[in-house]
Amino acid sequence: MAYIEPAPLKDKENPFEAMMSRFHVAAQILGLEDEIYNVLKNPARQVIVSLPVTMDDGSIRVFEGYRVIHSTILGPSKGGIRFDPHVNLDEVKALAAWMTWKCAVVDIPYGGAKGGVTCNPREMSAGEIERLMRAYTQTMADVFGPDKDIPAPDMGTGPREMAWLMDQYSRYKGMTTHAVVTGKPLVMGGSLGRTEATGRGVMVSAMAAMEKLKINPYKATCAVQGFGNVGSWAARLLHERGLIVQAVSDLSGAYFNAQGIDIEKAIQYRDANKGSLEGFTGAEKISNDDLLTLPVDLLVPAATEDVITSSNVVSIKARLIVEGANGPTSSKADNVINEKGIMVVPDILANAGGVTVSYFEWVQNRLGYKWTADRVNRRSDRIMKDAFNNVYKTSQEYKVPMRIAAYMVAIDKVSKTYKYRGGY
Ligand code: NAD
């Protein structure tokens, strides 16, 4: 077999440490007391369960499941459930803390949590996934609750799995409980506007940042990495606001056109091509690494974590980065970005449109009422804009990058609330 050169090592970081390094800087600038630092550093609760599931061939397999509740200081905890072979407690802990900061930045009354099961849903039948989701829900039935802990979809789960979760929880309680989970199908209490919510929030954050940087959207160019839910909605909405989207990409590679990609055509192509842009015409094929270093005004990483790292950060030419993905910039790349004077709208702010509309889903479920898409969009745009302005003001006042400012806004809110509520 021919020798294959291994891919260059990226700054693959332990997600919990990456999050903590930013938390630490923000806490120091705020002068956070050691006692409160320790409270916020540690998850409030970590649940690990064994889930025996009967497989289609009659055998019984035992899966390991997690739910980490990082904080309930601001309200019931909120966070997705990930079905993936790489799920582990450390990752779930980091993602749970991330949710605490995200909810606090956009000022919604939730704490943070995350769940996961170590499994490979791509190798399981629908029936096996359903039994696993029902077993997980049943075991976590005392952890979940509309006023306690509200799950949502994450990698490897979607509306179908949330429907099973809602049904299993409702059976356990003996009453229909829509508000126990968000991200449900529209026909059973899902919210209009949820599908586009994260990409829409990315667009709102980008427009707000461009205003501050005095970038005229009608003359601005943009590159979007990732053409899934977040990336394609962000590209479409940015294009609608006048930007020339010069490049988009997915796992098949990146597609560049200096005059602008026809986003509607790219979406239609992807949908007709099993979700992939492979073979898309009307653009020159470049690599995902090339996309990141294009001389554009705005770069939107909306694919996966750790793509802007110490190995490529010096070549980044964008004036503005709006993080659609969670953790696309390694903490080692932060300093270079700051030295280069690039503004970054960080993930915990830029992609919080999704959790904001999840919150609206919960509110509608509790009201027993349905809002129009227009009402959902107007309210989430307002929340995103206010959050952006708040973080921007903090960054100006303390002369810190937007990422640190976002952590400061979040930590300040959670720590002040903790002091009012009091400990033992
Ligand atoms: P998705 O699965 O719909 O799409 C991911 C896209 O990225 C696909 O086009 C895939 O081909 C591409 N991709 C994956 N790895 C890549 C790589 N190495 N290089 C280039 N492209 C790559 O996922 P999504 O829901 O759009 O989520 C994208 C990111 O946004 C994730 O980091 C996710 O955690 C984050 N996020 C999503 C939401 C949401 O509401 N969907 C909310 C907050 C954060």
Side-chain angles (χ1 to χ4, degrees):
M1 203 171 88
Y3 175 71
I4 299 170
E5 188 77 22
L9 275 182
K10 292 193 170 181
D11 311 11
K12 197 70 198 160
E13 292 184 322
N14 173 314
F16 193 69
E17 281 164 13
M19 187 275 299
M20 280 311 294
S21 69
R22 277 101 176 219
F23 170 77
H24 186 79
V25 175
Q28 270 190 331
I29 299 171
L30 280 173
L32 193 70
E33 298 91 326
D34 285 352
E35 292 88 340
I36 301 198
Y37 182 94
N38 287 332
V39 172
L40 301 184
K41 190 176 90 172
N42 294 302
R45 188 174 183 194
Q46 304 177 57
V47 184
I48 305 177
V49 292
S50 284
L51 304 166
V53 172
T54 306
M55 306 305 278
D56 289 346
D57 65 4
S59 65
I60 292 175
R61 246 183 89 183
V62 182
F63 296 89
E64 189 151 274
Y66 310 92
R67 186 74 182 165
V68 174
I69 293 173
H70 173 258
S71 168
T72 52
I73 293 170
L74 295 185
S77 49
K78 184 91 188 83
I81 298 169
R82 185 169 280 197
F83 277 14
D84 187 80
H86 300 109
V87 164
N88 61 71
L89 187 60
D90 225 22
E91 179 185 77
V92 179
K93 266 166 67 178
L95 295 169
W98 231 323
M99 286 304 297
T100 301
W101 312 133
K102 208 180 273 193
C103 294
V105 168
V106 285
D107 201 16
I108 56 179
Y110 283 148
K114 204 83 185 184
V117 178
T118 315
C119 65
N120 189 350
R122 283 172 295 277
E123 288 176 359
M124 294 166 71
S125 69
E128 289 169 343
I129 296 173
E130 176 175 355
R131 291 192 288 281
L132 177 59
M133 185 42 106
R134 288 190 186 276
Y136 179 77
T137 306
Q138 186 68 30
T139 324
M140 296 290 180
D142 286 326
V143 177
F144 297 157
D147 290 306
K148 284 165 78 179
D149 179 41
I150 308 136
D154 193 73
M155 232 193 256
T157 62
R160 179 184 70 165
E161 285 74 17
M162 299 309 111
W164 289 327
L165 191 157
M166 181 280 218
D167 179 72
Q168 191 63 32
Y169 182 84
S170 297
R171 287 173 197 227
Y172 172 80
K173 285 285 172 189
M175 59 183 178
T176 298
T177 314
H178 287 111
V180 70
V181 60
T182 63
K184 298 181 292 296
L186 208 52
V187 290
M188 55 178 285
S191 178
L192 289 166
R194 176 62 188 91
T195 312
E196 62 268 41
T198 308
R200 191 175 173 89
V202 167
M203 177 275 291
V204 172
S205 313
M207 297 303 285
M210 284 191 286
E211 201 181 316
K212 299 292 181 202
L213 295 174
K214 303 204 171 15
I215 298 175
N216 177 351
Y218 288 98
K219 292 188 179 151
T221 55
C222 154
V224 180
Q225 187 188 47
F227 207 62
N229 173 282
V230 181
S232 63
W233 272 105
R236 173 185 261 162
L237 296 171
L238 286 164
H239 171 67
E240 279 177 19
R241 302 272 173 319
L243 282 93
I244 300 167
V245 184
Q246 287 188 325
V248 296
S249 75
D250 66 8
L251 274 171
S252 73
Y255 302 82
F256 172 78
N257 184 336
Q259 311 312 316
I261 303 269
D262 184 335
I263 301 299
E264 293 309 319
K265 217 169 109 190
I267 292 174
Q268 275 172 19
Y269 185 87
R270 177 202 65 188
D271 292 346
N273 195 34
K274 295 192 187 117
S276 170
L277 286 170
E278 180 74 68
F280 178 66
T281 51
E284 178 194 337
K285 188 130 184 217
I286 59 172
S287 72
N288 260 297
D289 285 343
D290 292 341
L291 176 143
L292 293 170
T293 56
L294 285 172
V296 285
D297 297 295
L298 167 64
L299 175 64
V300 179
T304 184
E305 72 277 7
D306 287 336
V307 293
I308 300 174
T309 66
S310 54
S311 45
N312 64 5
V313 65
V314 286
S315 313
I316 303 271
K317 298 176 194 74
R319 294 167 66 191
L320 169 65
I321 298 173
V322 179
E323 296 183 335
N326 283 320
T329 309
S330 79
S331 64
K332 287 177 192 152
D334 274 356
N335 285 344
V336 182
I337 286 186
N338 299 336
E339 278 161 20
K340 290 173 81 144
I342 299 170
M343 182 195 271
V344 177
V345 184
D347 44 14
I348 57 169
L349 169 60
N351 69 35
V355 73
T356 301
V357 175
S358 285
Y359 164 58
F360 291 162
E361 179 176 333
W362 178 81
V363 169
Q364 292 170 75
N365 291 162
R366 309 205 79 181
L367 288 171
Y369 189 67
K370 226 170 170 39
W371 294 351
T372 61
D374 188 48
R375 173 175 283 200
V376 171
N377 289 340
R378 267 187 290 115
R379 292 188 176 192
S380 65
D381 289 358
R382 167 63 32 221
I383 285 188
M384 291 303 294
K385 192 120 198 267
D386 286 350
F388 176 91
N389 287 336
N390 201 9
V391 171
Y392 184 78
K393 196 166 136 248
T394 305
S395 93
Q396 296 288 301
E397 203 174 308
Y398 286 85
K399 300 193 175 15
V400 293
M402 289 283 283
R403 189 187 309 284
I404 297 302
Y407 273 86
M408 287 171 69
V409 166
I411 294 169
D412 187 51
K413 180 162 194 287
V414 180
S415 62
K416 278 186 179 143
T417 310
Y418 177 78
K419 283 188 210 160
Y420 277 120
R421 291 185 66 158
Y424 299 108

